[in-house]
């Protein structure tokens, strides 16, 4: 199953009362589809998954898939640190029309490698949908090791991994031992090109909300064999890749999406909005990229 090169981890638009704005979610999804995104991940960390209810997530899955149709793949973020809760949400997500599921390594309870294996296997066996694993030790305090991913790759509908470990040796080991058709995606915008060089498939991106067209030029150049142009794009875009994490994600990217005239709204507590100084930094950051 080929998932594309750039999948955007979409923010969840909120209205002034911090209720999910489903109409703006449709609008944003269509915008992303028109600006470089081959796919969209809904209700991931960037989508403020910890503060979304199950009902809100299911409605988001439905409206985003309806908005983009068959041309853009939609993955539903159903993972949590409860296997039973993840399975229950995964089963309900099937009826929303999404193309696949994404589940993060269980956070806070720090499972063993065997615990992670059993967690993901149980989720995968609960539905026929393709499942993408998500490894982000900086948020979960647990690292899904390559040997465990290899075991999981033997389960037919576990098809991909979003890898945000940030260690190229681990990525190299993944690519060394995994089947060629098992797709590995960067979970960090700044590591997109380095991970492409290691044979990975693309990026689950935050930055693509605002520089999706430019990122598409970078990945297109790489896959066309024009490594010099791809590198130049990487270097040009690096300030945005790093700058959008000046404070907790998705605070900066929501602010920038708002500046584009798309109504992403604000963030729910315990996150708080960007400070005036952070807003000035982010505005100047994006202006410099767009002027070059």
């Amino acid at each position: 199953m080929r998932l594309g090169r750039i999948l955007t981890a979409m923010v969840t638009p909120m209205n002034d009362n911090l209720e999910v704005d489903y109409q703006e979610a449709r609008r944003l999804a269509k915008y992303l589809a028109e600006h470089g995104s081959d796919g969209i991940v809904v209700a991931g960390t960037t989508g403020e998954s910890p503060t979304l209810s199950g009902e809100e997530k299911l409605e988001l899955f439905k409206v985003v898939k309806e908005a983009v149709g068959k041309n853009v793949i939609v993955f539903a973020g159903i993972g949590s640190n409860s296997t039973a809760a993840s399975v229950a949400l995964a089963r309900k997500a099937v009826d929303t029309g999404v193309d696949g599921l994404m589940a993060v390594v269980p956070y806070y309870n720090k499972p063993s490698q065997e615990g992670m294996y059993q967690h993901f296997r149980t989720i995968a066996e609960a539905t026929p949908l393709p499942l993408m694993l998500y490894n982000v030790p900086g948020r979960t305090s647990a690292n899904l090791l390559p040997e465990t991913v290899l075991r999981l790759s033997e389960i037919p509908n576990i098809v991909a991994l979003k890898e945000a470990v940030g260690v190229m040796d681990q990525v190299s080991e993944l690519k060394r031992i995994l089947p060629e058709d098992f797709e590995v995606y960067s979970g960090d915008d700044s590591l997109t090109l380095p991970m492409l060089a290691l044979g990975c498939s693309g990026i689950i991106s935050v930055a693509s909300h605002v520089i999706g067209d430019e990122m598409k030029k970078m990945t297109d150049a790489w896959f066309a064999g024009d490594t010099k142009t791809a590198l130049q794009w990487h270097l040009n875009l690096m300030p945005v890749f790093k700058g959008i994490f000046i404070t907790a994600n998705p605070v900066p990217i929501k602010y920038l999406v708002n500046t584009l005239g798309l109504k992403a709204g604000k963030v729910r507590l315990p996150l708080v909005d960007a400070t005036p100084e952070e807003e000035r930094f982010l505005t100047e950051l994006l202006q410099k990229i767009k002027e070059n």
Side-chain angles (χ1 to χ4, degrees), residues 243-289:
I244 58 173
F245 294 96
I246 188 174
T247 189
N249 181 50
V251 174
I253 199 64
K254 266 199 154 180
Y255 170 75
L256 286 176
V257 170
N258 285 327
T259 69
L260 297 180
L262 296 160
K263 297 177 182 178
K266 298 186 176 184
V267 290
R268 286 176 172 174
L269 288 169
L271 298 178
V272 294
D273 297 329
T275 65
E277 293 79 11
E278 290 166 345
E279 290 181 353
R280 282 193 293 272
F281 168 82
L282 291 164
T283 300
E284 292 173 3
L285 181 71
L286 192 58
Q287 285 176 344
K288 288 177 183 177
I289 293 296

Side-chain angles (χ1 to χ4, degrees), residues 108-221:
Y108 189 73
N109 40 19
K110 297 176 109 173
S112 66
Q113 294 299 308
E114 181 62 24
M116 288 186 237
Y117 173 80
Q118 295 295 342
H119 173 78
F120 288 121
R121 181 180 69 84
T122 302
I123 294 171
E125 291 177 350
T127 87
L129 289 176
L131 176 65
M132 180 185 295
L133 314 174
Y134 179 19
N135 187 37
V136 56
R139 284 183 178 266
T140 66
S141 300
N143 184 13
L144 181 66
L145 295 177
E147 296 78 11
T148 308
V149 179
L150 177 61
R151 290 179 67 198
L152 288 164
S153 72
E154 297 170 359
I155 298 168
N157 62 325
I158 297 182
V159 300
L161 167 69
K162 177 183 177 182
E163 180 57 90
V165 70
V167 178
M168 292 302 97
D169 283 359
Q170 182 160 316
V171 177
S172 296
E173 181 64 7
L174 285 164
K175 291 303 298 180
R176 187 184 75 83
I177 66 175
L178 285 170
E180 189 174 347
D181 62 351
F182 189 92
E183 301 205 63
V184 178
Y185 286 83
S186 174
D188 297 294
D189 284 299
S190 62
L191 295 180
T192 304
L193 191 61
M195 287 182 64
L196 288 178
L198 291 174
C200 295
S201 299
I203 173 70
I204 313 292
S205 177
V206 176
S208 55
H209 282 89
V210 293
I211 52 169
D213 293 324
E214 291 84 352
M215 292 182 71
K216 180 171 171 38
K217 290 176 182 177
M218 179 181 73
T219 57
D220 284 352

Side-chain angles (χ1 to χ4, degrees), residues 31-84:
Y31 176 88
L32 296 174
E34 294 167 358
H35 291 276
S37 294
D38 303 306
I40 295 173
V41 176
V42 181
T45 310
T46 307
E48 299 179 72
S49 57
T51 59
L52 294 176
S53 69
E55 291 75 16
E56 288 172 329
K57 290 177 183 179
L58 290 167
E59 186 65 16
L60 278 166
F61 301 158
K62 179 182 175 183
V63 300
V64 169
K65 186 57 194 175
E66 287 175 350
V68 299
K70 296 180 179 179
N71 294 330
V72 173
I73 196 165
V74 175
F75 268 72
I78 54 84
S80 71
N81 59 353
S82 164
T83 305

